[in-house]
Amino acid sequence: MQSPQPASQAPAAASVQITFSFGVEETVFNHSTDSCEPQDLPDTPAHAVRLADGSLMLADGNAPRNYAMFGADFSTLRRSCTAPTLVSDDLTNPEPYDNQEWILSVYRDGNLVHALIHNEYHDPIAPDCKPGDSSPANPCWYNSITYGVSSDGGHTFTHAIPPAHIVAPPPEVWNPQGPPPPYGYFTPSNIVLAQDGFYYSVFVAQAINGPQQTCVMRTQTLGGPTSWRAWDGIGFSLTMPDPYTGPPASLCAGVVAPGIAQPTLTYNTYLRKYMMVGGVVVGNPPVCGAGYALSSDLIHWTPVQIMLTAYFPSHPPCQPPGGSSASVYFSIIDHSDTSVNFENAGQTPFVYYTRFNDLGLNRDLVRVPLVITAH
């Protein structure tokens, strides 16, 4: 999964002074006791939906076999090991966009649970890469966003025959020479329905030779993968066509600087603003942790500021000293939110994140209660 990148300078102060108070950390998923298999671990920001019978599903799984948590409420969430919710097809070529798949976003509408999928292609053929290895251990990385859907309450997700499931392919075709740094579209956030009737998601964009940035896209048709349009700097007019079948599109226009890795999105009813949260590295010397930005329109955002400091497992200036844990994949979930898809959060939500216990596969999903105070 994509790692936070350092910012060139510390952000300016926001116009409203906001403080955050945190409670005692609670373990939601313990890898040592709750995992369905060794690779089953929380490797995405946690997102919850309320199912038709009132119970909950929480998605936070890992490729190639995604598992999810289910429960009557947040205190009874447990991993379901009956079967994975999605098994990656792990094709060895890039153009189907059907490789290593992570369910990132879940959104229930009626009897369907829609999903945005983070799809990683790690070239197992090119000599410049790692022949024979299609896993994330292969540094050749070409990323896209695709669509899946469940009709059985989030227990099984399927998608159209590739590439008909593509939402956001990279603007360029795959070129393994070099090899290049990771590029494409990464880590779509959870989906939020705004008052204008559009569904919005923020995501990370990385050009093959350019800076990482945070973009936003929207649709009115969750079941139509090609219906999403990205912000192009003027309007939501940017189509994201398949570069293998036609002229490539421009890269989306960034809306937050410095960027937020693995962004998550809610509307905060206490602050009356949209809140984006995710991993950030700001300042010199660097400060690392969960950062946030606020917006009234999902386009113009306040400067990114640190909400909660943390060590990161992969970024050298933020790596933990011996014996310390690291934290990534931050999301906001308000247990008192009555919306089906937990799109709203108030003054007292929880921050969910993945705790790396050993900087490897021993990872737990944890949460801490949060109190937000605006001055």
Side-chain angles (χ1 to χ4, degrees), residues 97-114:
Y97 308 102
D98 192 16
N99 313 108
Q100 294 276 332
E101 299 171 288
W102 284 255
I103 293 176
L104 258 290
S105 314
V106 284
Y107 195 98
R108 184 174 73 83
D109 183 19
N111 294 323
L112 299 179
V113 180
H114 302 274

Side-chain angles (χ1 to χ4, degrees), residues 51-52 57 70 84-85 111-113 149-158:
L51 301 175
M57 172 202 177
F70 297 87
T85 59
N111 294 323
L112 299 179
V113 180
V149 65
S150 171
S151 59
D152 63 357
H155 289 277
T156 306
F157 284 84
T158 59

Side-chain angles (χ1 to χ4, degrees), residues 39 48-49 103 108 115 123 127 147 150 165 178 193 209 223 245 328 342:
Q39 288 280 94
V49 296
I103 293 176
R108 184 174 73 83
D123 192 332
Y147 167 77
S150 171
H165 67 322
L193 176 61
N209 290 305
T245 60
V328 292
F342 296 91

Side-chain angles (χ1 to χ4, degrees), residues 29-48:
F29 168 90
N30 185 305
H31 181 262
S32 299
T33 59
D34 301 335
S35 60
C36 301
E37 56 184 78
Q39 288 280 94
D40 174 29
L41 46 89
D43 199 47
T44 71
H47 297 311

Side-chain angles (χ1 to χ4, degrees), residues 21-28 308 335 349-353 355 365-371:
S21 302
F22 298 93
V24 178
E25 185 179 89
E26 306 170 4
T27 299
V28 182
L308 174 68
H335 295 185
F350 283 77
V351 179
Y352 280 69
Y353 54 91
R355 182 179 62 209
L365 178 67
V366 300
R367 65 189 177 210
V368 293
L370 166 64
V371 177

Side-chain angles (χ1 to χ4, degrees), residues 15-368:
S15 58
V16 177
Q17 181 67 32
I18 301 172
T19 57
F20 302 91
S21 302
F22 298 93
V24 178
E25 185 179 89
E26 306 170 4
T27 299
V28 182
F29 168 90
N30 185 305
H31 181 262
S32 299
T33 59
D34 301 335
S35 60
C36 301
E37 56 184 78
Q39 288 280 94
D40 174 29
L41 46 89
D43 199 47
T44 71
H47 297 311
V49 296
R50 201 181 312 277
L51 301 175
D53 63 0
S55 65
L56 303 179
M57 172 202 177
L58 187 140
D60 69 331
N62 184 34
R65 294 160 62 86
N66 292 252
Y67 291 89
M69 302 184 76
F70 297 87
D73 52 34
F74 284 101
S75 64
T76 58
L77 286 169
R78 297 291 182 273
R79 206 50 136 217
S80 174
C81 294
T82 303
T85 59
L86 177 69
V87 178
S88 304
D89 288 324
D90 197 21
L91 301 184
T92 57
N93 49 327
E95 61 271 18
Y97 308 102
D98 192 16
N99 313 108
Q100 294 276 332
E101 299 171 288
W102 284 255
I103 293 176
L104 258 290
S105 314
V106 284
Y107 195 98
R108 184 174 73 83
D109 183 19
N111 294 323
L112 299 179
V113 180
H114 302 274
L116 293 175
I117 297 169
H118 167 101
N119 181 73
E120 297 184 6
Y121 174 66
H122 297 276
D123 192 332
I125 299 172
D128 280 357
C129 298
K130 194 175 182 182
D133 189 351
S134 62
S135 78
N138 184 336
C140 286
W141 186 350
Y142 182 66
N143 215 91
S144 56
I145 299 171
T146 63
Y147 167 77
V149 65
S150 171
S151 59
D152 63 357
H155 289 277
T156 306
F157 284 84
T158 59
H159 56 63
I161 296 173
H165 67 322
I166 189 70
V167 171
E172 309 99 336
V173 300
W174 170 241
N175 182 352
Q177 295 182 348
Y183 67 96
Y185 290 139
F186 302 77
T187 59
S189 75
N190 49 315
I191 297 166
V192 171
L193 176 61
Q195 290 185 347
D196 61 4
F198 283 87
Y199 300 94
Y200 288 83
S201 176
V202 294
F203 60 102
V204 171
Q206 177 72 61
I208 191 169
N209 290 305
Q212 185 183 108
Q213 57 193 37
T214 305
C215 293
V216 59
M217 61 181 178
R218 73 180 190 182
T219 184
Q220 289 184 307
T221 311
L222 288 175
T226 60
S227 67
W228 290 87
R229 297 291 182 268
W231 178 252
D232 61 10
I234 299 175
F236 285 94
S237 301
L238 181 66
T239 59
M240 293 171 282
D242 186 348
Y244 283 93
T245 60
S250 301
L251 193 74
C252 57
V255 296
V256 174
I260 293 179
Q262 300 96 28
T264 61
L265 185 64
T266 53
Y267 181 80
N268 191 277
T269 57
Y270 169 67
L271 298 173
R272 297 183 180 180
K273 301 283 186 181
Y274 293 100
M275 175 180 279
M276 191 189 309
V277 171
V280 299
V281 182
V282 297
N284 187 18
V287 178
C288 312
Y292 76 96
L294 303 174
S295 174
S296 297
D297 59 6
L298 293 161
I299 300 167
H300 303 92
W301 293 84
T302 61
V304 175
Q305 297 192 79
I306 291 285
M307 170 191 294
L308 174 68
T309 58
Y311 294 116
F312 291 157
S314 58
H315 188 62
C318 309
Q319 286 184 294
S324 299
S325 61
S327 303
V328 292
Y329 310 142
F330 304 95
S331 64
I332 296 286
I333 302 177
D334 192 331
H335 295 185
S336 63
D337 181 5
T338 59
S339 68
V340 169
N341 296 289
F342 296 91
E343 300 163 80
N344 303 312
Q347 189 176 8
T348 57
F350 283 77
V351 179
Y352 280 69
Y353 54 91
T354 296
R355 182 179 62 209
F356 281 60
N357 298 311
D358 63 357
L359 303 186
L361 297 181
N362 185 2
R363 308 178 196 177
D364 299 338
L365 178 67
V366 300
R367 65 189 177 210
V368 293

